[in-house]
Amino acid sequence: MDIATLFERDLNKLVTEINLYNDEKDLWKIKEGISNSAGNLALHLIGNLNYFIGTILDDNHYVRDRDKEFSEKNIPRTTLVEELQNIIPLIKNTLPKIAAEALKKDFPVPLAGNMLSTEATLVYLLAHFNYHLGQVNYHRRILDI
């Protein structure tokens, strides 16, 4: 299984999680001890992948506003789902075009203050995505209690 397929699988998992919320308003709730709502985590992941894969690797000119990813509220569920689903073709069209030798070269921008290879950056982005996917799953389940 290649990394594009893993991203597609996990984007679909996040869509499923978002759709499992019984009340759309719960996407934006924050319980004690939890820093971010599921909606803001979804916006963060949308911004993260659109920027690092879309802008940096595909040059699609996406302009990221990271602060807004955590400050915006009450975006409709359908919008979040659509934006997540739009990342799948971006990834499926971008990642296969990267030559094997290019994967070994430095990613064009530092990530978390470090220069990593493009391959390591993609693994980092997938791990980051799954960290937040787990948070969304926990958030949803704790609200259902």
Side-chain angles (χ1 to χ4, degrees):
M1 189 177 298
D2 65 16
I3 198 155
T5 303
L6 293 171
F7 272 112
E8 180 179 9
R9 178 198 67 188
D10 297 338
L11 280 156
N12 284 322
K13 283 182 182 179
L14 183 53
V15 166
T16 297
E17 284 294 331
I18 288 171
N19 283 325
L20 283 171
Y21 279 79
N22 293 322
D23 186 341
E24 187 170 339
K25 292 179 193 135
D26 287 349
L27 284 164
W28 304 98
K29 286 185 180 175
I30 298 175
K31 289 205 58 136
E32 187 178 331
I34 297 176
S35 302
N36 297 299
S37 70
N40 287 115
L41 290 171
L43 289 174
H44 173 58
L45 292 170
I46 290 164
N48 190 60
L49 293 178
N50 272 310
Y51 176 71
F52 286 109
I53 293 177
T55 298
I56 302 301
L57 294 179
D58 192 47
D59 197 28
N60 72 357
H61 306 289
Y62 176 85
V63 177
R64 185 176 189 191
D65 186 345
R66 192 175 185 284
D67 290 339
K68 204 172 176 184
E69 294 166 13
F70 294 100
S71 65
E72 277 195 319
K73 304 291 180 211
N74 302 314
I75 307 300
R77 179 192 334 234
T78 56
T79 301
L80 293 175
V81 167
E82 182 179 326
E83 290 186 26
L84 288 164
Q85 290 172 330
N86 287 340
I87 297 170
I88 294 171
L90 169 69
I91 288 173
K92 289 173 76 171
N93 293 323
T94 303
L95 297 189
K97 291 189 274 186
I98 302 172
E101 57 274 1
L103 288 171
K104 303 297 180 204
K105 292 182 180 177
D106 282 349
F107 192 70
V109 297
L111 194 68
N114 299 303
M115 288 305 296
L116 302 171
S117 70
T118 297
E119 183 174 48
T121 298
L122 293 171
V123 171
Y124 180 98
L125 292 173
L126 184 63
H128 171 262
F129 187 94
N130 276 281
Y131 175 76
H132 290 311
L133 173 59
Q135 288 180 314
V136 170
N137 173 270
Y138 178 74
H139 179 266
R140 179 185 56 78
R141 290 181 296 113
I142 201 165
L143 288 177
D144 286 344
I145 294 174

